[in-house]
Amino acid sequence: MYGWEMLSFNIHDGFLEAIVRGNRSGLLTASDYNNLCQCENLDDVKMHLTATEYGPYLQNEPSPLHTTTIVEKCTLKLVDEYKHMLCQATEPLSTFLQYITYGHMIDNVVLIVTGTLHERDVNELLEKCHPLGMFDSIASLAVAQNMRELYRLVLVDTPLAPYFSECITSEDLDDMNIEIMRNTLYKAYLEDFYKFCQKLGGATAEIMCDLLSFEADRRAVNITINSIGTELTRDDRRRLYSNFGLLYPYGHEELAVCEDVDQVRGAMEKYPPYQSIFAKISYGESQMLDKAFYEEEVRRLCLSFEQQFHYAVFFAYIRLREQEIRNLMWISECVAQNQKNRVHDSVVFMF
Amino acid sequence: MSSDSSWASALVRISPYTFSAIGIAVSIGVSVLGAAWGIFITGSSLIGAAIKAPRITSKNLISVIFCEAVAIYGVIVAIILQTKLESVPSALMYDAESLRAGYAIFASGLIVGFANLACGVCVGIIGSSCALSDAQNSSLFVKILVIEIFGSALGLFGVIVGIIMSAQASWPKA
């Protein structure tokens, strides 16, 4: 019941909520980002990061440093914190924390399948996988030839099994099918997560459903923009949109028939939250749309910390860390390639 | 005693000592429930937050102390109430005066118990938020402490009214 969770939340989850809020205070602030943006080379970046909470992870790295090493070590910190929380969590928080990683699992599956299609080595691909989304039999994904085999050999034992019912076909895997498979899986995962959060009820349901609706809508816009000009039919496109969110169902009808970015803008401007996003970018431009969406997402995630006694803080913390790692990757790349004037194109400040 | 309704006569035939005993039990039992509830709510957040910010532990024990005070109110009132119990001769057991004394002690116990329950839970939830905010920004502690002080006044109101109620619990003399 909404409002009464404060009486019983702390019995099982009070300790972990306090831990995740302590971790949140370790996120990099605007002054940290300013220091990082003024670095001359990657060793400077490493020196600044050693002074933050990333210190123990980066201080033993030998120079010369690569951007991939920085990103890998920072991701390792996130994984350590996640595992620390997961091993202390009880139901239903432990299920909730596991749900957060299924998105990465889907990305890893698609990465390995695509890489195998292009004849890459399995071990090389395994190193590129996101550590939060690893599962035991992931290496045997390289053996599968079509989706039915993929499911039967590997995925039936993973938590992703229920999401496959919509996309089992016997067609061979190629680039287009793999993208459709990724989006179908992600759609099923988001809907499942949404139902789970609604079942939890209370403040968790309210905040998580808002965050997930935004995610669903953002994916709908990205699918639309990425499929303009490809051979994806309108019906296929509509099948990839989720069954919840602000845009469901009328916005999806309009998005399904859009043929260019300005039509997408026209469809989205009817919804006040998205109108403010689209107002930030001028006509005909779609590169800044990603950054505008990220900024809105970060704003909503930071707002979820304003309320106590719910699970959305865990989701928000992991997402904010991932955004921070994206920021660090962008800054490191700009510094390494000597293009510091482009740093602010893609860095989203949190606080 | 009117015999219009058999339910009415059932109520007034319950011994006033029963009501008094239940009142005393509620006074301490439910107060301790409220205090314990508040302490676990505050304590779990305090321990978790103190991992990243160890400086908050000593100051935030005040929240736990406020919750504990609620239990002490319950004990004090229970002790006061049990001193009000006196024997009456069995002829006067169901006299109006005895019933009045019994009901007064019962009500006093209920008042104190439930006021302390609400107060303990209130202070506990505020204490939890206080610990988490203090860990992020230490200037917030004193301001949230003011809210806690207002919250702990609720228990005090209950104790005052309870003691006034029980003060006029006078059993009839032979």
Side-chain angles (χ1 to χ4, degrees), chain A residues 101-267:
Chain A
T101 59
Y102 293 167
H104 289 297
M105 254 186 229
I106 295 174
D107 286 339
N108 286 351
V109 166
V110 168
L111 180 75
I112 291 191
V113 168
T114 317
T116 312
L117 197 66
H118 294 148
E119 320 265 329
R120 297 243 161 64
D121 181 35
V122 169
N123 291 328
E124 196 187 303
L125 293 170
L126 280 178
E127 281 178 17
K128 289 207 193 132
C129 284
H130 197 284
L132 275 183
M134 295 300 268
F135 50 92
D136 284 335
S137 43
I138 193 167
S140 35
L141 281 172
V143 179
Q145 298 294 330
N146 61 33
M147 289 189 214
R148 203 178 285 277
E149 266 186 33
L150 204 61
Y151 177 73
R152 201 174 45 83
L153 287 178
V154 183
L155 293 163
V156 68
D157 292 324
T158 64
L160 299 178
Y163 306 148
F164 263 84
S165 56
E166 280 187 32
C167 59
I168 298 186
T169 63
S170 297
E171 291 173 21
D172 275 343
L173 298 164
D174 63 34
D175 278 321
M176 175 79 142
N177 286 349
I178 292 177
E179 275 309 300
I180 294 185
M181 176 178 86
R182 179 212 295 268
N183 284 314
T184 318
L185 283 178
Y186 210 90
K187 168 192 172 182
Y189 153 63
L190 276 183
E191 283 171 5
D192 193 24
F193 200 2
Y194 190 82
K195 280 202 210 74
F196 176 72
C197 290
Q198 278 196 319
K199 210 163 39 112
L200 288 177
T204 303
E206 177 166 324
I207 301 177
M208 277 309 294
C209 291
D210 178 60
L211 292 173
L212 290 176
S213 305
F214 179 77
E215 173 87 13
D217 294 337
R218 183 173 78 160
R219 279 192 87 84
V221 170
N222 281 337
I223 289 174
T224 312
I225 292 183
N226 290 339
S227 62
I228 290 174
T230 65
E231 357 171 287
L232 196 64
T233 65
R234 287 177 185 179
D235 285 329
D236 276 342
R237 202 195 274 179
R238 188 174 308 135
R239 261 204 295 262
L240 294 176
Y241 298 149
S242 298
N243 292 340
F244 62 93
L246 202 55
L247 293 178
Y248 170 80
Y250 306 115
H252 289 164
E253 300 287 324
E254 290 187 31
L255 277 181
V257 300
C258 285
E259 294 301 331
D260 66 48
V261 179
D262 288 326
Q263 285 183 2
V264 170
R265 175 197 289 271

Side-chain angles (χ1 to χ4, degrees), chain A residues 7 10-11 18 21 23 308, chain B residues 37 41 52 128-129 132 136:
Chain A
L7 294 176
N10 274 9
I11 299 177
R21 281 179 187 263
N23 285 340
Q308 211 180 333
Chain B
W37 205 331
I41 293 180
K52 273 287 160 76
S128 152
S129 305
L132 294 177
Q136 306 272 345

Side-chain angles (χ1 to χ4, degrees), chain B residues 57-163:
Chain B
T57 38
S58 28
K59 280 200 293 188
N60 278 279
L61 285 178
I62 288 185
S63 310
V64 177
I65 291 174
F66 275 135
C67 289
E68 176 71 21
V70 155
I72 293 178
Y73 298 156
V75 171
I76 290 175
V77 171
I79 293 177
I80 291 177
L81 289 182
Q82 65 87 27
T83 62
K84 301 277 182 205
L85 281 177
E86 287 168 16
S87 295
V88 292
S90 40
L92 296 174
M93 175 99 100
Y94 296 103
D95 211 26
E97 280 297 311
S98 317
L99 292 178
R100 177 182 177 227
Y103 294 153
I105 298 180
F106 176 62
S108 174
L110 273 188
I111 289 167
V112 171
F114 286 101
N116 285 338
L117 173 65
C119 172
V121 167
C122 166
V123 173
I125 295 175
I126 299 175
S128 152
S129 305
C130 182
L132 294 177
S133 321
D134 191 16
Q136 306 272 345
N137 178 358
S138 44
S139 64
L140 288 175
F141 176 73
V142 178
K143 303 184 170 97
I144 299 182
L145 199 63
V146 173
I147 305 177
E148 268 188 65
I149 292 173
F150 278 111
S152 73
L154 301 174
L156 221 44
F157 298 157
V159 168
I160 291 171
V161 174
I163 297 208

